[in-house]
Amino acid sequence: MTERPAQMSNPRADRVKTVARLAGRSARQKQNRFLAEGPQSVREALRAHLGEFEATLSGHWGQGVVEEVFVTEGIAALHPDIAELIDQARASIQVRVVTDEVLEALSDAVTHQDVIAVCTLPGARRSVEWLQQHVTSPKLLAVLCRVQDPGNMGTIIRAADAAGADAVLLTSGSVDPFNPKAVRSTAGSLFHLPVFTAVDLSSTLDSVRELGHQVLAADGYGEEYLVNLGSALARTTTWLFGNEAQGLSPEERDLADARVAVPLYGHAESLNVATAATVCLYASAMAAGSVDSASH
Amino acid sequence: MTERPAQMSNPRADRVKTVARLAGRSARQKQNRFLAEGPQSVREALRAHLGEFEATLSGHWGQGVVEEVFVTEGIAALHPDIAELIDQARASIQVRVVTDEVLEALSDAVTHQDVIAVCTLPGARRSVEWLQQHVTSPKLLAVLCRVQDPGNMGTIIRAADAAGADAVLLTSGSVDPFNPKAVRSTAGSLFHLPVFTAVDLSSTLDSVRELGHQVLAADGYGEEYLVNLGSALARTTTWLFGNEAQGLSPEERDLADARVAVPLYGHAESLNVATAATVCLYASAMAAGSVDSASH
């Protein structure tokens, strides 16, 4: 970094307490902010902030992703790539050099991993209609219906990013994807594609059908097997995935064009929702995508 | 249940303390036992004990899977299927009716979920040579090289079961799959297929090649893309998956016939090992398997 601000060393400072409260949902909504913890999340937040990804994504986040970063003095030696990104973003973010003790007070993680960023929540007004206007032809979308576990939520967002999904949409009653554990589980993918919260399922599916999408419900008791869908998998698709304990409700299932089971070849009675989502999203991606569109 | 033994109500009883110690690896090895906690794990342990799965699996476990179950008085009302399995197994297992307080003292889980079983570790002598003798033609095997996180370990064992793998093999330096968190994450799948620990990678791969297997290493930097393997995926295959942080070592990679990358279509830089294993194992299963061999 080009200059070094005075080090913050008081873990009981008001600013530290205010930021630490972002571990809770009500503080996130009140402050309109959330935490990105650790090098992987902060790196991808800074890259999104600097506009390294699609213009769509910059539009999703609005004026800027990162407001403030907290780093220890050792950041340049430990993570030179992050120090470089911080330098590039310096005009538009607040940089605070802090002690280990302050970083520990800021985070609920077992290890704070050297760096924490305070990020702005994307505008709640961003919805699938907005996506319809800004993304010419989304090919793959994932809708999560009332997924409850932050680890599952993060894992599915990461898998959706890897499979090239254009967005992830969460219905009301889903766990908050800006919860620190969910953010950590996305391993940076939260900053790679738009994640819409509190969407209405029925009107969302009307919108994606206007975009030409087929709507497939992942359902262990579905009448179709994933392995038998053949070339239909290569079509533009919106997948629905359900709650961990109950799966999709009958009403949610009925909104889909087909209910699709991931085959169980062994003795397992069911799949974890994150595992099922991974298999379904990758089946679509690999049926539709050529290797030219993938990166190592 | 047909009879009701006297209720155990002292959470400080010696037997309770001895069982609770099975949360630790050294106690598991010393006692040659491990814990199955919660209805899903205990149900599948009892089914394995009663020989409901392949004869191979009964051979893997040896004389019996379950030694002792701890249940509350409410078990018959809460989980009639488990009460029925306990009745069927009564001649060969010890049944202890206990208070909630005793169940809580037995387990390190946040919720004990009404029932806990003490199980015997499968014989350490069971190896891939044993599998070679007892399974006519294993089609799909998964080898985990130094996977460290119990949640990942359990998730991969569950996905391997779902994909119809014939066994999971763990090299030395892997997390113990009989650790309570790993057992819970398998959601019963630990009792559905043989899981071999502390295998030697090089001699294991010699053995699977004698069985006609191709050996594929899942490797983000691999020279082949999964999506381009085509009909080669339908061959009998042993997959190698690496450590969370470092992936496969150069030595481990070199032992494979090919290094295969799961394509990344979005901005994600890598996949969690459990996600990569799920995609690879299901790609093999769906290429090889017809839907006739799968169940809902």
Side-chain angles (χ1 to χ4, degrees), chain A residues 64-137:
Chain A
V65 180
V66 179
E67 290 188 23
E68 188 175 15
V69 292
F70 294 86
V71 296
T72 53
E73 282 196 315
I75 186 75
L78 282 168
H79 302 289
D81 56 335
I82 293 176
E84 171 70 31
L85 290 167
I86 289 172
D87 259 0
Q88 290 175 39
R90 188 170 289 275
S92 59
I93 65 173
Q94 178 83 42
V95 183
R96 297 192 195 265
V97 179
V98 300
T99 57
D100 281 338
E101 212 184 351
V102 169
L103 269 189
E104 272 160 37
L106 285 170
S107 166
D108 75 337
V110 179
T111 55
H112 58 66
Q113 299 179 301
D114 313 318
V115 56
I116 288 175
V118 176
C119 303
T120 317
L121 286 173
R125 68 194 175 286
R126 309 301 184 189
S127 66
V128 72
E129 285 75 25
W130 180 86
L131 189 77
Q132 214 174 359
Q133 288 156 26
H134 290 77
V135 184
T136 316
S137 52

Side-chain angles (χ1 to χ4, degrees), chain A residues 153-193:
Chain A
M153 173 65 74
T155 301
I156 298 173
I157 291 172
R158 185 177 180 186
D161 176 23
D166 297 283
V168 176
L169 302 101
L170 317 178
T171 67
S172 305
S174 303
V175 70
D176 186 359
F178 302 103
N179 153 325
K181 191 176 170 204
V183 176
R184 284 196 297 274
S185 300
T186 73
S189 288
L190 183 65
F191 302 102
H192 292 164
L193 79 175

Side-chain angles (χ1 to χ4, degrees), chain A:
Chain A
M1 287 175 288
T2 50
E3 56 189 88
R4 174 163 301 175
Q7 191 183 49
M8 273 179 70
S9 61
N10 179 6
R12 285 166 300 282
D14 282 350
R15 183 69 197 134
V16 173
K17 287 183 188 164
T18 304
V19 170
R21 273 188 215 110
L22 294 174
R25 186 167 194 160
S26 64
R28 287 194 293 278
Q29 296 189 326
K30 203 165 154 189
Q31 298 185 38
N32 199 36
R33 293 185 183 94
F34 71 102
L35 291 177
E37 300 165 314
Q40 197 168 24
S41 286
V42 174
R43 182 188 302 115
E44 301 311 302
L46 286 165
R47 293 179 66 202
H49 183 83
L50 291 164
E52 287 194 19
F53 307 121
E54 290 85 351
T56 318
L57 195 64
S58 305
H60 176 63
W61 285 97
Q63 285 308 301
V65 180
V66 179
E67 290 188 23
E68 188 175 15
V69 292
F70 294 86
V71 296
T72 53
E73 282 196 315
I75 186 75
L78 282 168
H79 302 289
D81 56 335
I82 293 176
E84 171 70 31
L85 290 167
I86 289 172
D87 259 0
Q88 290 175 39
R90 188 170 289 275
S92 59
I93 65 173
Q94 178 83 42
V95 183
R96 297 192 195 265
V97 179
V98 300
T99 57
D100 281 338
E101 212 184 351
V102 169
L103 269 189
E104 272 160 37
L106 285 170
S107 166
D108 75 337
V110 179
T111 55
H112 58 66
Q113 299 179 301
D114 313 318
V115 56
I116 288 175
V118 176
C119 303
T120 317
L121 286 173
R125 68 194 175 286
R126 309 301 184 189
S127 66
V128 72
E129 285 75 25
W130 180 86
L131 189 77
Q132 214 174 359
Q133 288 156 26
H134 290 77
V135 184
T136 316
S137 52
K139 291 182 179 62
L140 183 60
L141 297 167
V143 181
L144 311 187
C145 300
R146 302 168 296 110
V147 167
Q148 289 302 304
D149 178 75
N152 282 338
M153 173 65 74
T155 301
I156 298 173
I157 291 172
R158 185 177 180 186
D161 176 23
D166 297 283
V168 176
L169 302 101
L170 317 178
T171 67
S172 305
S174 303
V175 70
D176 186 359
F178 302 103
N179 153 325
K181 191 176 170 204
V183 176
R184 284 196 297 274
S185 300
T186 73
S189 288
L190 183 65
F191 302 102
H192 292 164
L193 79 175
V195 176
F196 300 103
T197 54
V199 303
D200 173 69
L201 185 61
S202 176
S203 62
T204 295
L205 297 186
D206 289 345
S207 300
V208 303
R209 285 195 172 98
E210 285 173 29
L211 296 168
H213 276 222
Q214 65 180 338
V215 178
L216 301 181
D219 175 4
Y221 300 96
E223 70 271 12
E224 303 259 21
Y225 274 114
L226 184 68
V227 69
N228 292 343
L229 289 185
S231 62
L233 274 175
R235 287 185 51 196
T236 55
T237 298
T238 294
W239 276 102
L240 308 187
F241 304 107
N243 170 271
E244 287 88 346
Q246 300 119 29
L248 292 164
S249 70
E251 296 73 26
E252 289 162 347
R253 255 180 235 133
D254 285 348
L255 289 170
D257 301 319
R259 284 138 294 278
V260 179
V262 175
L264 297 171
Y265 296 101
H267 296 293
E269 285 164 22
S270 66
L271 290 173
N272 168 287
V273 63
T275 300
T278 298
V279 174
C280 292
L281 291 169
Y282 256 97
S284 288
M286 293 202 291
S290 78
V291 77
D292 301 334
S293 63
S295 68
H296 272 278

Side-chain angles (χ1 to χ4, degrees), chain A residues 291 294-296, chain B residues 222-229 259-264:
Chain A
V291 77
S295 68
H296 272 278
Chain B
E223 70 271 10
E224 303 259 20
Y225 273 115
L226 184 68
V227 69
N228 292 343
L229 289 186
R259 285 139 293 276
V260 179
V262 175
L264 297 170

